[in-house]
């Protein structure tokens, strides 16, 4: 990836503005001579921004414009105790709507569609982002939010929803309920826009088949507008990123050095136009890679691979680094194994004990599946686990993000 002249000029303008006023980045970049930054290589010497920096700025330390220009805030979940609060100007909200409408258009969604939005509204960026984009597109929105599956399905059938926006976990739950109730013929869905959590190929195929839709991965994070800064196209070969609003790098998670195109690393994002809370070299923790070459869809926007995992999702067991994406990939190659699993790590009698609960297809032999999955785990990931096959639907479903790895050692 090469920084364009336009991107460089926007970044320099942003840096000069941020270091000339009393705000987070004036302190963060203290001692940096902005005028000496004359190339992409110079830019890559700037320090990273970390999630911890944003928490330390609580509540409104990230704000980079006067109070009268702020029209909204959004916030991360704050699972560590201190949430991250992101202020937005009216222009930020408008830019976000433009990007999201572009995502819908990339997915072949238009103003004749009826878009059922199931992610949550409120402080979280998801639901309102899907809503903004749909309104900018001119489509009818059905702002359900999460939960109340009976009402979701009634609205879906009565209003003839054509697009479902959801987490992969909730899309799967709805697909299973539709099949269970035998109402597939009443469903008019044609597209599914899925975000918020990574999901394996087996889960993707299952949701697409049971809902009868084409699925699109949408990308975003609260700190950088929210969902809508990138999406996959019809060809399902990565996600196009809107590089007129963001500049992205892929770096080695350990060294911070930019890696060659095609090599897996951590996604780092710099906002080009954000006013309320701009970010410079923000480390997302998301693992991906740049996909080179032209996309068959003809779009000029660069692509990254679907998110492969997160640096903070990794667990270390018996000296082996394990990512959920590895378990997804391993299960995708085993006939009869579902996409749904839970990986439990316990520490008993001085050693780590790993148990993998996996849903298996109806009629599959549990003994043979136990052996096949155990052998697959050992071959693919390198350690021995206790495999517990269970029936489809036995593991819990979530209306939000599903937790798949449980580390009970601490």
């Amino acid at each position: 990836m090469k920084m364009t002249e336009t991107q460089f000029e926007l970044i320099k303008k942003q840096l000069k503005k941020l270091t000339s006023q009393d705000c987070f980045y004036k302190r963060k970049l203290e001692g940096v001579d902005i005028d000496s930054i004359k190339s992409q290589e110079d830019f890559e010497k700037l320090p990273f921004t970390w999630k911890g920096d944003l928490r330390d700025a609580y509540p409104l330390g990230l704000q980079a414009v006067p109070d009268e220009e702020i029209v909204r805030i959004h916030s991360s979940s704050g699972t560590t105790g201190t949430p991250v609060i992101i202020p937005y100007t009216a222009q930020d909200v408008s830019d976000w709507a433009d990007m999201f409408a572009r995502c819908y258009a990339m997915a072949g969604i238009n103003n004749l569609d009826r878009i059922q939005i199931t992610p949550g509204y409120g402080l979280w960026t998801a639901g309102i982002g899907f809503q903004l984009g749909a309104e900018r597109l001119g489509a009818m929105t059905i702002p359900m939010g999460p939960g109340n599956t009976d009402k979701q399905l009634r609205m879906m059938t009565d209003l003839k929803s054509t697009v479902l926006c959801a987490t992969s976990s909730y899309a799967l739950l709805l697909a299973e309920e539709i099949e269970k109730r035998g109402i597939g013929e009443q469903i008019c869905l044609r597209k599914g826009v899925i975000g918020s959590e990574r999901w394996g190929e087996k889960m993707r195929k299952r949701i697409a088949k049971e809902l009868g839709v084409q699925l699109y991965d949408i990308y975003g994070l609260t700190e950088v507008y929210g969902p809508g800064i990138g999406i996959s196209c019809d060809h399902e070969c990565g996600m196009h990123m809107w590089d007129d609003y963001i500049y992205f790098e892929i770096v080695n998670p350990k060294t911070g050095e930019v890696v060659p195109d095609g090599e897996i690393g951590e996604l780092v994002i710099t906002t080009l136009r954000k006013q309320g809370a701009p970010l410079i070299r923000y480390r997302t923790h998301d693992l991906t890679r740049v996909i080179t070459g032209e996309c068959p869809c003809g779009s000029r926007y660069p692509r990254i691979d679907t998110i492969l995992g997160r640096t903070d999702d990794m667990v270390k067991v018996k000296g082996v680094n394990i990512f959920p994406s590895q378990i997804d990939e391993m299960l995708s190659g085993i006939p009869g194994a579902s996409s749904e699993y839970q990986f439990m790590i316990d520490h008993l009698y001085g050693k780590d004990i790993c148990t993998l609960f996996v849903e298996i297809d109806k009629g599959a032999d549990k003994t043979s599946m136990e052996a096949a999955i155990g052998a697959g785990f050992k071959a693919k990931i390198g350690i021995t686990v206790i495999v517990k096959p269970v029936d489809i639907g036995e593991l819990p479903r979530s209306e939000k993000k599903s937790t798949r790895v449980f580390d009970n050692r601490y």
Side-chain angles (χ1 to χ4, degrees), residues 92 96 104 108 262 299 364 380:
D92 292 337
W96 186 18
Y104 283 133
S299 172
K380 183 79 178 176

Side-chain angles (χ1 to χ4, degrees), residues 69 71 88-96 98 225 273 275:
E69 294 184 34
V71 299
Y88 292 65
T89 66
Q91 187 61 53
D92 292 337
V93 173
S94 180
D95 288 347
W96 186 18
D98 284 340
Y225 294 101
R273 303 176 187 274
Q275 298 175 340

Side-chain angles (χ1 to χ4, degrees), residues 332-344:
S332 71
I334 299 178
S338 166
S339 60
E340 298 308 289
Y341 68 88
Q342 287 189 345
F343 183 54
M344 304 277 187

Side-chain angles (χ1 to χ4, degrees), residues 159-197:
L159 290 174
K160 296 180 168 41
S161 306
T162 59
V163 178
L164 174 67
C165 302
T167 64
S168 57
S169 300
Y170 197 47
L172 178 62
L173 187 153
L174 290 172
E176 290 176 335
E177 280 298 314
I178 288 166
E179 183 183 36
K180 192 184 300 181
R181 300 178 191 204
I183 58 173
E185 291 184 359
Q186 301 173 46
I187 300 298
C188 300
L189 294 176
R190 67 185 193 92
K191 305 275 184 178
V193 182
I194 307 297
S196 180
E197 58 184 343

